[in-house]
Coordinates of all heavy atoms in Angstrom, one line a residue:
M1 N 0.9 -1.2 0.0 CA 0.0 0.0 0.0 C 0.9 1.2 0.0 O 1.7 1.4 0.9 CB -0.9 0.0 1.2 CG -1.9 1.1 1.3 SD -3.1 0.7 2.6 CE -3.8 2.3 2.8
P2 N 0.7 2.1 -1.0 CA 1.6 3.3 -1.1 C 1.2 4.3 0.0 O 0.1 4.4 0.4 CB 1.3 3.9 -2.5 CG 0.0 3.4 -2.8 CD -0.2 2.1 -2.1
T3 N 2.3 5.0 0.5 CA 2.0 6.0 1.5 C 1.7 7.3 0.8 O 2.2 7.6 -0.3 CB 3.3 6.3 2.4 OG1 4.3 6.6 1.5 CG2 3.6 5.0 3.2
L4 N 0.8 8.1 1.3 CA 0.4 9.3 0.7 C 1.1 10.5 1.4 O 0.7 11.0 2.5 CB -1.1 9.5 0.8 CG -1.9 8.5 0.1 CD1 -3.4 8.8 0.3 CD2 -1.7 8.7 -1.4
E5 N 2.3 10.9 0.9 CA 3.0 12.0 1.5 C 2.6 13.3 0.7 O 2.5 13.2 -0.5 CB 4.5 11.8 1.3 CG 5.0 10.6 2.2 CD 6.5 10.5 2.1 OE1 7.2 11.4 1.7 OE2 7.0 9.4 2.4
P6 N 2.5 14.4 1.4 CA 2.1 15.6 0.7 C 3.2 16.1 -0.2 O 4.4 15.9 0.1 CB 1.9 16.6 1.8 CG 2.6 16.0 3.0 CD 2.6 14.6 2.8
V7 N 2.9 16.5 -1.4 CA 3.9 17.0 -2.3 C 4.3 18.4 -1.9 O 3.4 19.3 -1.6 CB 3.3 17.1 -3.8 CG1 4.3 17.7 -4.7 CG2 2.9 15.7 -4.2
V8 N 5.6 18.6 -1.7 CA 6.1 19.9 -1.3 C 7.1 20.4 -2.3 O 7.7 19.6 -3.0 CB 6.7 19.9 0.1 CG1 5.7 19.6 1.2 CG2 7.9 18.9 0.1
A9 N 7.2 21.7 -2.4 CA 8.1 22.3 -3.4 C 8.7 23.5 -2.6 O 8.1 24.1 -1.8 CB 7.5 22.7 -4.7
P10 N 9.9 23.9 -3.0 CA 10.5 25.1 -2.4 C 10.0 26.4 -3.0 O 9.7 26.5 -4.1 CB 12.0 24.9 -2.7 CG 12.1 24.2 -4.0 CD 10.9 23.2 -3.9
C11 N 9.9 27.4 -2.1 CA 9.6 28.7 -2.5 C 10.9 29.3 -3.1 O 12.0 29.2 -2.4 CB 9.1 29.6 -1.3 SG 8.9 31.3 -1.7
W12 N 10.9 29.9 -4.2 CA 12.1 30.5 -4.8 C 12.5 31.8 -4.2 O 13.5 32.4 -4.5 CB 11.8 30.7 -6.3 CG 12.0 29.4 -7.1 CD1 11.4 28.2 -6.8 CD2 12.6 29.2 -8.3 NE1 11.7 27.3 -7.7 CE2 12.5 27.9 -8.7 CE3 13.4 30.1 -9.2 CZ2 13.0 27.4 -9.9 CZ3 13.9 29.6 -10.4 CH2 13.7 28.2 -10.7
C13 N 11.7 32.3 -3.3 CA 12.0 33.6 -2.6 C 12.6 33.3 -1.2 O 13.7 33.8 -0.9 CB 10.7 34.4 -2.5 SG 11.0 36.1 -1.8
C14 N 11.9 32.6 -0.4 CA 12.3 32.4 1.0 C 12.9 31.0 1.2 O 13.4 30.8 2.3 CB 11.2 32.6 2.0 SG 9.9 31.4 1.9
A15 N 12.9 30.1 0.2 CA 13.4 28.8 0.3 C 12.7 27.9 1.3 O 13.2 26.8 1.5 CB 14.9 28.8 0.6
G16 N 11.5 28.3 1.8 CA 10.7 27.4 2.6 C 10.1 26.3 1.8 O 10.0 26.4 0.5
E17 N 9.7 25.2 2.4 CA 9.0 24.1 1.7 C 7.5 24.2 1.9 O 7.1 24.4 3.1 CB 9.5 22.7 2.3 CG 11.0 22.5 2.1 CD 11.2 22.0 0.7 OE1 10.3 21.3 0.1 OE2 12.3 22.2 0.2
F18 N 6.7 24.1 0.8 CA 5.3 24.4 0.9 C 4.6 23.3 0.1 O 5.1 22.8 -0.9 CB 5.0 25.8 0.4 CG 5.5 26.9 1.2 CD1 6.8 27.4 0.9 CD2 4.8 27.4 2.3 CE1 7.3 28.4 1.7 CE2 5.4 28.4 3.1 CZ 6.6 28.9 2.8
A19 N 3.3 23.1 0.5 CA 2.4 22.2 -0.4 C 2.1 23.0 -1.6 O 2.1 24.2 -1.6 CB 1.2 21.8 0.4
E20 N 1.8 22.3 -2.7 CA 1.4 22.9 -3.9 C 0.3 23.9 -3.8 O 0.3 25.0 -4.4 CB 1.1 21.8 -5.0 CG 0.9 22.4 -6.4 CD 2.2 23.0 -6.9 OE1 3.3 22.5 -6.6 OE2 2.1 23.9 -7.7
V21 N -0.7 23.6 -2.9 CA -1.8 24.5 -2.8 C -1.4 25.9 -2.2 O -2.1 26.9 -2.3 CB -2.9 23.9 -1.9 CG1 -2.4 23.7 -0.4 CG2 -4.2 24.6 -2.0
D22 N -0.2 25.9 -1.5 CA 0.2 27.2 -0.9 C 1.3 27.9 -1.7 O 2.0 28.7 -1.2 CB 0.8 26.9 0.5 CG -0.2 26.4 1.5 OD1 -1.4 26.9 1.4 OD2 0.1 25.5 2.3
L23 N 1.4 27.5 -3.0 CA 2.4 28.2 -3.9 C 1.7 28.8 -5.1 O 0.6 28.4 -5.5 CB 3.3 27.1 -4.4 CG 4.3 26.5 -3.4 CD1 5.0 25.3 -4.0 CD2 5.3 27.5 -2.9
V24 N 2.3 29.8 -5.6 CA 1.9 30.5 -6.9 C 3.0 30.3 -7.9 O 4.2 30.6 -7.7 CB 1.7 32.0 -6.7 CG1 1.4 32.7 -7.9 CG2 0.7 32.3 -5.6
R25 N 2.6 29.7 -9.0 CA 3.6 29.4 -10.1 C 3.7 30.6 -11.1 O 2.6 31.3 -11.3 CB 3.2 28.2 -10.9 CG 3.1 26.9 -10.0 CD 4.3 26.1 -10.2 NE 4.4 25.0 -9.2 CZ 5.5 24.5 -8.9 NH1 6.7 24.9 -9.4 NH2 5.5 23.5 -8.0
L26 N 4.9 30.9 -11.6 CA 5.0 32.0 -12.5 C 4.6 31.5 -13.9 O 4.9 30.4 -14.3 CB 6.5 32.5 -12.5 CG 7.0 32.9 -11.1 CD1 8.4 33.5 -11.2 CD2 6.1 33.9 -10.5
G27 N 4.0 32.4 -14.6 CA 3.4 32.1 -15.9 C 4.3 31.4 -16.9 O 4.1 30.3 -17.4
A28 N 5.4 32.2 -17.3 CA 6.3 31.7 -18.3 C 7.3 30.7 -17.8 O 8.0 30.1 -18.6 CB 7.0 32.9 -19.0
R29 N 7.4 30.7 -16.5 CA 8.4 29.8 -15.8 C 7.7 29.0 -14.7 O 7.8 29.2 -13.6 CB 9.5 30.6 -15.1 CG 10.4 31.4 -16.1 CD 11.3 30.5 -16.6 NE 12.3 31.2 -17.4 CZ 13.4 30.7 -17.9 NH1 13.6 29.4 -17.7 NH2 14.2 31.4 -18.6
P30 N 6.9 28.0 -15.2 CA 6.1 27.2 -14.2 C 6.9 26.4 -13.2 O 6.4 26.0 -12.1 CB 5.3 26.3 -15.0 CG 5.9 26.2 -16.3 CD 6.7 27.5 -16.5
E31 N 8.2 26.2 -13.5 CA 9.1 25.5 -12.5 C 9.4 26.4 -11.3 O 9.8 26.0 -10.3 CB 10.4 25.1 -13.2 CG 11.4 26.2 -13.5 CD 11.1 26.8 -14.9 OE1 10.0 26.6 -15.5 OE2 12.0 27.5 -15.4
A32 N 9.2 27.8 -11.5 CA 9.4 28.7 -10.4 C 8.1 29.0 -9.7 O 7.1 29.2 -10.3 CB 10.0 30.0 -11.0
A33 N 8.2 28.8 -8.3 CA 7.0 29.1 -7.5 C 7.4 29.9 -6.3 O 8.5 29.8 -5.8 CB 6.5 27.7 -7.1
I34 N 6.5 30.7 -5.8 CA 6.7 31.4 -4.6 C 5.5 31.2 -3.7 O 4.4 30.9 -4.1 CB 6.9 32.9 -4.8 CG1 5.8 33.6 -5.5 CG2 8.2 33.2 -5.6 CD1 5.9 35.1 -5.7
C35 N 5.8 31.2 -2.4 CA 4.7 31.0 -1.4 C 3.8 32.2 -1.3 O 4.1 33.3 -1.8 CB 5.3 30.6 0.0 SG 6.1 32.1 0.8
L36 N 2.7 32.0 -0.7 CA 1.7 33.1 -0.6 C 2.2 34.3 0.1 O 1.9 35.4 -0.3 CB 0.4 32.5 0.0 CG -0.3 31.4 -0.8 CD1 -1.5 30.9 0.0 CD2 -0.5 31.7 -2.2
D37 N 2.9 34.1 1.2 CA 3.5 35.3 1.9 C 4.4 36.0 1.0 O 4.4 37.3 1.0 CB 4.1 34.8 3.2 CG 3.1 34.5 4.3 OD1 2.0 34.8 4.2 OD2 3.5 33.7 5.2
C38 N 5.3 35.3 0.3 CA 6.3 36.0 -0.6 C 5.5 36.7 -1.7 O 5.9 37.7 -2.2 CB 7.3 35.0 -1.1 SG 8.5 34.5 0.2
A39 N 4.4 36.0 -2.2 CA 3.7 36.7 -3.3 C 3.1 38.0 -2.8 O 3.1 39.0 -3.6 CB 2.5 35.7 -3.7
R40 N 2.6 38.1 -1.6 CA 2.1 39.3 -1.0 C 3.2 40.3 -0.9 O 3.1 41.5 -1.3 CB 1.5 39.1 0.4 CG 1.0 40.4 1.0 CD 0.4 40.2 2.4 NE -0.7 39.2 2.3 CZ -0.9 38.2 3.2 NH1 0.0 38.1 4.2 NH2 -1.9 37.4 3.1
F41 N 4.4 39.9 -0.5 CA 5.6 40.8 -0.4 C 6.0 41.3 -1.8 O 6.2 42.5 -1.9 CB 6.8 40.0 0.2 CG 8.1 40.7 0.2 CD1 8.3 41.8 1.0 CD2 9.0 40.3 -0.7 CE1 9.5 42.4 1.0 CE2 10.3 41.0 -0.8 CZ 10.5 42.0 0.1
V42 N 6.0 40.5 -2.8 CA 6.4 40.9 -4.1 C 5.3 41.9 -4.7 O 5.7 42.9 -5.3 CB 6.6 39.7 -5.0 CG1 6.7 40.1 -6.5 CG2 7.8 38.9 -4.6
K43 N 4.1 41.6 -4.4 CA 3.0 42.5 -4.9 C 3.2 43.9 -4.2 O 3.1 44.9 -4.9 CB 1.6 42.0 -4.5 CG 0.5 42.9 -5.0 CD -0.8 42.5 -4.5 CE -1.8 43.6 -4.9 NZ -2.9 43.8 -4.0
R44 N 3.5 43.9 -2.9 CA 3.7 45.2 -2.3 C 4.9 46.0 -2.9 O 4.8 47.2 -3.0 CB 3.9 45.0 -0.8 CG 2.6 44.7 -0.1 CD 2.8 44.5 1.4 NE 1.5 44.3 2.1 CZ 1.4 43.8 3.3 NH1 2.4 43.4 3.9 NH2 0.2 43.6 3.8
R45 N 5.9 45.3 -3.2 CA 7.1 45.9 -3.8 C 6.7 46.4 -5.2 O 7.2 47.5 -5.5 CB 8.3 44.9 -3.8 CG 8.9 44.7 -2.5 CD 10.1 43.9 -2.6 NE 11.1 44.7 -3.2 CZ 12.3 44.2 -3.5 NH1 12.7 43.0 -3.2 NH2 13.2 44.9 -4.1
A46 N 6.0 45.7 -5.9 CA 5.6 46.1 -7.3 C 4.7 47.4 -7.2 O 4.9 48.3 -8.0 CB 4.9 45.0 -8.0
V47 N 3.8 47.4 -6.2 CA 2.9 48.6 -6.1 C 3.7 49.8 -5.6 O 3.5 50.9 -6.1 CB 1.7 48.2 -5.1 CG1 1.0 49.5 -4.8 CG2 0.8 47.2 -5.7
A48 N 4.7 49.5 -4.7 CA 5.5 50.6 -4.3 C 6.3 51.2 -5.4 O 6.5 52.4 -5.5 CB 6.4 50.2 -3.1
R49 N 6.8 50.3 -6.3 CA 7.6 50.8 -7.4 C 6.7 51.6 -8.3 O 7.1 52.7 -8.8 CB 8.2 49.6 -8.2 CG 9.0 49.9 -9.4 CD 10.4 50.5 -9.0 NE 11.1 49.8 -8.0 CZ 12.0 48.8 -8.2 NH1 12.2 48.4 -9.5 NH2 12.6 48.1 -7.3
R50 N 5.5 51.2 -8.6 CA 4.6 51.9 -9.4 C 4.3 53.3 -8.8 O 4.2 54.3 -9.5 CB 3.3 51.2 -9.6 CG 2.3 51.8 -10.6 CD 1.0 51.2 -10.8 NE 1.1 49.7 -11.0 CZ 0.3 48.8 -10.5 NH1 -0.7 49.2 -9.8 NH2 0.5 47.6 -10.8
D51 N 4.1 53.3 -7.4 CA 3.8 54.6 -6.7 C 4.9 55.6 -6.8 O 4.7 56.8 -6.8 CB 3.5 54.3 -5.3 CG 2.1 53.6 -5.0 OD1 1.3 53.7 -6.0 OD2 1.9 53.1 -3.9
E52 N 6.2 55.1 -6.9 CA 7.3 56.0 -7.1 C 7.2 56.7 -8.4 O 7.7 57.9 -8.5 CB 8.6 55.2 -7.1 CG 9.0 54.6 -5.7 CD 10.2 53.6 -5.8 OE1 10.8 53.5 -6.9 OE2 10.5 53.0 -4.8
H53 N 6.6 56.1 -9.4 CA 6.6 56.8 -10.7 C 5.3 57.6 -11.0 O 5.2 58.4 -11.9 CB 6.7 55.7 -11.8 CG 8.0 55.0 -11.8 ND1 9.2 55.6 -12.1 CD2 8.4 53.8 -11.4 CE1 10.2 54.8 -11.9 NE2 9.7 53.6 -11.5
R54 N 4.3 57.3 -10.2 CA 3.0 57.9 -10.4 C 2.4 58.3 -9.0 O 2.0 57.5 -8.2 CB 2.0 57.0 -11.1 CG 0.8 57.7 -11.6 CD -0.1 56.7 -12.3 NE -0.4 55.5 -11.5 CZ -1.1 54.5 -11.8 NH1 -1.6 54.4 -13.0 NH2 -1.3 53.5 -11.0
R55 N 2.5 59.6 -8.7 CA 2.0 60.1 -7.4 C 0.5 60.2 -7.3 O -0.1 60.8 -8.2 CB 2.6 61.4 -7.1 CG 4.1 61.5 -7.1 CD 4.7 61.1 -5.8 NE 6.1 61.1 -5.9 CZ 6.9 60.5 -5.0 NH1 6.4 59.8 -4.0 NH2 8.2 60.6 -5.1
T56 N -0.1 59.5 -6.4 CA -1.5 59.6 -6.1 C -1.8 59.6 -4.6 O -0.9 59.3 -3.8 CB -2.2 58.3 -6.7 OG1 -1.8 57.2 -5.9 CG2 -1.9 58.1 -8.2
P57 N -3.0 60.1 -4.2 CA -3.3 60.1 -2.8 C -3.2 58.7 -2.2 O -2.7 58.5 -1.1 CB -4.7 60.6 -2.7 CG -4.8 61.4 -4.0 CD -4.0 60.7 -5.0
F58 N -3.7 57.7 -2.9 CA -3.7 56.3 -2.4 C -2.2 55.8 -2.3 O -1.9 55.1 -1.3 CB -4.4 55.3 -3.3 CG -5.9 55.6 -3.3 CD1 -6.6 55.9 -4.5 CD2 -6.7 55.5 -2.1 CE1 -7.9 56.2 -4.5 CE2 -8.0 55.8 -2.1 CZ -8.7 56.1 -3.3
G59 N -1.4 56.2 -3.2 CA 0.0 55.9 -3.1 C 0.7 56.5 -1.9 O 1.5 55.9 -1.3
A60 N 0.3 57.7 -1.6 CA 0.9 58.4 -0.4 C 0.5 57.6 0.9 O 1.3 57.4 1.8 CB 0.4 59.8 -0.3
V61 N -0.8 57.1 0.9 CA -1.3 56.4 2.1 C -0.5 55.1 2.2 O 0.0 54.7 3.2 CB -2.8 56.1 2.0 CG1 -3.2 55.1 3.0 CG2 -3.6 57.4 2.1
R62 N -0.3 54.4 1.0 CA 0.4 53.1 1.0 C 1.9 53.4 1.5 O 2.4 52.5 2.2 CB 0.4 52.5 -0.4 CG -0.8 51.8 -0.7 CD -0.7 50.9 -2.0 NE -0.5 51.8 -3.2 CZ -1.5 52.2 -3.9 NH1 -2.8 51.8 -3.7 NH2 -1.3 53.0 -5.0
G63 N 2.5 54.5 1.0 CA 3.8 54.8 1.4 C 3.9 55.0 2.9 O 4.9 54.5 3.6
G64 N 2.9 55.7 3.5 CA 2.9 55.9 5.0 C 2.7 54.6 5.7 O 3.4 54.3 6.7
V65 N 1.9 53.7 5.2 CA 1.7 52.4 5.9 C 3.0 51.6 5.8 O 3.4 50.9 6.7 CB 0.5 51.6 5.2 CG1 0.5 50.1 5.6 CG2 -0.8 52.3 5.5
Q66 N 3.7 51.7 4.6 CA 4.9 50.9 4.5 C 6.0 51.5 5.4 O 6.8 50.7 6.0 CB 5.4 51.0 3.0 CG 6.7 50.1 2.8 CD 6.4 48.7 3.1 OE1 5.4 48.1 2.7 NE2 7.3 48.0 3.8
R67 N 6.1 52.8 5.6 CA 7.0 53.3 6.6 C 6.8 52.8 8.0 O 7.7 52.5 8.7 CB 7.0 54.8 6.5 CG 7.8 55.4 5.3 CD 7.9 56.9 5.3 NE 6.7 57.6 5.1 CZ 6.1 57.8 4.0 NH1 6.6 57.4 2.9 NH2 5.0 58.5 3.9
V68 N 5.5 52.8 8.4 CA 5.2 52.2 9.7 C 5.5 50.7 9.8 O 6.1 50.3 10.8 CB 3.7 52.4 10.0 CG1 3.3 51.7 11.3 CG2 3.3 53.9 10.1
R69 N 5.2 50.0 8.7 CA 5.6 48.6 8.7 C 7.1 48.4 8.8 O 7.6 47.5 9.6 CB 5.1 48.0 7.4 CG 5.4 46.5 7.2 CD 4.9 45.9 5.9 NE 3.4 46.0 5.8 CZ 2.7 46.7 4.9 NH1 3.4 47.4 4.0 NH2 1.4 46.7 4.9
D70 N 7.9 49.2 8.1 CA 9.3 49.1 8.2 C 9.8 49.3 9.6 O 10.7 48.7 10.1 CB 10.0 50.1 7.2 CG 9.8 49.7 5.7 OD1 9.4 48.5 5.5 OD2 10.0 50.6 4.9
R71 N 9.2 50.3 10.2 CA 9.6 50.6 11.6 C 9.3 49.5 12.6 O 10.1 49.1 13.5 CB 9.0 51.9 12.1 CG 9.4 52.3 13.4 CD 9.3 53.8 13.6 NE 9.9 54.1 14.9 CZ 10.0 55.3 15.3 NH1 9.6 56.3 14.6 NH2 10.5 55.6 16.5
V72 N 8.1 48.9 12.4 CA 7.7 47.8 13.3 C 8.7 46.6 13.1 O 9.1 46.0 14.1 CB 6.2 47.3 12.9 CG1 5.9 46.0 13.5 CG2 5.2 48.4 13.4
I73 N 9.0 46.3 11.8 CA 9.9 45.2 11.6 C 11.3 45.5 12.1 O 12.0 44.7 12.7 CB 9.9 44.9 10.1 CG1 8.6 44.3 9.7 CG2 11.1 43.9 9.7 CD1 8.4 44.1 8.2
S74 N 11.8 46.7 11.9 CA 13.2 47.1 12.3 C 13.3 47.0 13.9 O 14.4 46.7 14.4 CB 13.6 48.4 11.8 OG 12.9 49.5 12.4
N75 N 12.2 47.3 14.6 CA 12.2 47.2 16.0 C 11.8 45.8 16.6 O 11.9 45.6 17.8 CB 11.2 48.2 16.6 CG 11.7 49.6 16.5 OD1 12.9 49.9 16.7 ND2 10.9 50.6 16.1
G76 N 11.5 44.9 15.7 CA 11.1 43.5 16.1 C 9.8 43.4 16.8 O 9.5 42.4 17.5
W77 N 8.9 44.5 16.7 CA 7.7 44.4 17.4 C 6.8 43.3 16.9 O 5.9 42.8 17.6 CB 7.0 45.8 17.3 CG 7.7 46.9 17.9 CD1 8.7 46.8 18.9 CD2 7.6 48.3 17.7 NE1 9.1 48.0 19.3 CE2 8.5 49.0 18.5 CE3 6.8 49.0 16.8 CZ2 8.6 50.4 18.5 CZ3 6.9 50.4 16.8 CH2 7.8 51.0 17.7
H78 N 6.9 42.9 15.6 CA 6.1 41.9 15.1 C 6.4 40.5 15.6 O 5.6 39.6 15.4 CB 6.2 41.9 13.5 CG 7.6 41.5 13.1 ND1 8.7 42.2 13.4 CD2 8.0 40.4 12.4 CE1 9.8 41.7 12.9 NE2 9.4 40.6 12.3
E79 N 7.4 40.4 16.4 CA 7.8 39.1 17.0 C 7.5 39.0 18.5 O 7.9 38.1 19.2 CB 9.3 38.8 16.8 CG 9.6 38.7 15.3 CD 11.1 38.6 15.0 OE1 11.9 39.0 15.9 OE2 11.4 38.1 13.9
R80 N 6.9 40.1 19.0 CA 6.6 40.1 20.5 C 5.3 39.6 20.9 O 4.3 40.3 20.8 CB 6.8 41.6 21.0 CG 8.2 42.1 20.9 CD 8.2 43.4 21.6 NE 9.6 44.0 21.5 CZ 9.9 45.2 21.9 NH1 9.0 46.0 22.4 NH2 11.2 45.6 21.8
G81 N 5.2 38.4 21.3 CA 4.0 37.8 21.9 C 2.7 38.3 21.3 O 2.5 38.3 20.1
P82 N 1.7 38.6 22.2 CA 0.4 39.0 21.7 C 0.4 40.3 20.9 O -0.4 40.4 19.9 CB -0.4 39.3 23.0 CG 0.4 38.5 24.1 CD 1.8 38.5 23.6
L83 N 1.3 41.2 21.2 CA 1.4 42.4 20.3 C 1.8 42.0 18.9 O 1.2 42.5 17.9 CB 2.4 43.4 20.9 CG 2.7 44.6 20.0 CD1 1.5 45.5 19.8 CD2 3.8 45.5 20.6
G84 N 2.8 41.2 18.8 CA 3.3 40.7 17.5 C 2.2 40.0 16.7 O 2.0 40.2 15.5
A85 N 1.4 39.1 17.4 CA 0.3 38.4 16.8 C -0.7 39.4 16.2 O -1.2 39.2 15.1 CB -0.3 37.4 17.7
F86 N -1.0 40.4 17.0 CA -2.0 41.4 16.6 C -1.4 42.2 15.4 O -2.2 42.4 14.4 CB -2.3 42.4 17.7 CG -3.1 43.6 17.3 CD1 -4.4 43.5 17.0 CD2 -2.4 44.8 17.1 CE1 -5.1 44.6 16.6 CE2 -3.2 45.9 16.7 CZ -4.5 45.8 16.4
L87 N -0.2 42.6 15.4 CA 0.4 43.3 14.3 C 0.4 42.5 13.0 O 0.2 43.0 11.9 CB 1.8 43.8 14.7 CG 1.8 44.9 15.8 CD1 3.3 45.2 16.2 CD2 1.1 46.2 15.3
R88 N 0.8 41.2 13.1 CA 0.8 40.4 12.0 C -0.6 40.2 11.4 O -0.7 40.2 10.2 CB 1.5 39.0 12.3 CG 3.0 39.1 12.6 CD 3.6 37.7 12.6 NE 3.0 36.9 13.6 CZ 3.3 36.8 14.9 NH1 4.3 37.6 15.4 NH2 2.7 36.0 15.7
R89 N -1.5 40.0 12.3 CA -2.9 39.9 11.8 C -3.4 41.1 11.1 O -4.0 41.1 10.1 CB -3.8 39.5 12.9 CG -5.3 39.3 12.5 CD -6.1 38.8 13.6 NE -5.7 37.4 13.9 CZ -6.4 36.4 13.9 NH1 -7.7 36.5 13.7 NH2 -6.0 35.2 14.2
L90 N -3.1 42.3 11.7 CA -3.5 43.6 11.2 C -2.9 43.8 9.8 O -3.5 44.3 8.9 CB -3.1 44.7 12.1 CG -3.3 46.1 11.7 CD1 -4.8 46.4 11.5 CD2 -2.7 47.1 12.7
D91 N -1.6 43.3 9.7 CA -0.9 43.5 8.4 C -1.6 42.9 7.2 O -1.5 43.3 6.1 CB 0.5 43.0 8.5 CG 1.4 43.4 7.3 OD1 1.4 44.6 7.0 OD2 2.0 42.5 6.7
R92 N -2.3 41.8 7.5 CA -3.0 41.1 6.4 C -4.1 42.0 5.7 O -4.4 41.8 4.6 CB -3.7 39.8 6.9 CG -2.8 38.8 7.4 CD -3.5 37.6 7.9 NE -2.7 36.8 8.7 CZ -3.1 35.9 9.6 NH1 -4.4 35.7 9.8 NH2 -2.3 35.2 10.3
F93 N -4.6 43.0 6.5 CA -5.6 43.8 5.9 C -5.1 45.2 5.4 O -5.9 46.0 5.0 CB -6.7 44.0 7.0 CG -7.3 42.7 7.5 CD1 -6.9 42.2 8.7 CD2 -8.2 42.1 6.8 CE1 -7.4 41.0 9.2 CE2 -8.8 40.9 7.2 CZ -8.3 40.3 8.4
L94 N -3.8 45.4 5.5 CA -3.3 46.7 5.1 C -2.8 46.6 3.7 O -2.4 45.5 3.2 CB -2.1 47.1 6.0 CG -2.5 47.3 7.5 CD1 -1.3 47.6 8.3 CD2 -3.5 48.5 7.6
P95 N -2.8 47.7 3.0 CA -2.3 47.7 1.6 C -0.8 47.5 1.5 O -0.1 47.7 2.4 CB -2.7 49.1 1.1 CG -2.8 50.0 2.3 CD -3.2 49.1 3.4
Ligands
ZN1 ZN1 8.3 32.2 0.3

């Protein structure tokens, strides 16, 4: 009787191992996959790059949120017990 082991693949961004359902494959390079958290990170970087070239009120808000996020991460607040859990959960809903 064969064993059913979950298929895992590495994320090309963070090198973590993930199940196929938790990966996003790149269109022209299907062998390359990134995990959902890294996909969110890459999207934010792409939007920030676009905001650099095109100034909008929404871009200014996103820039402010990113500056706060950078400060939280540089101080390690996102890793502090209940406060860190709250900040990580809150980050899911921020642009
Ligand atoms: Zn990743």
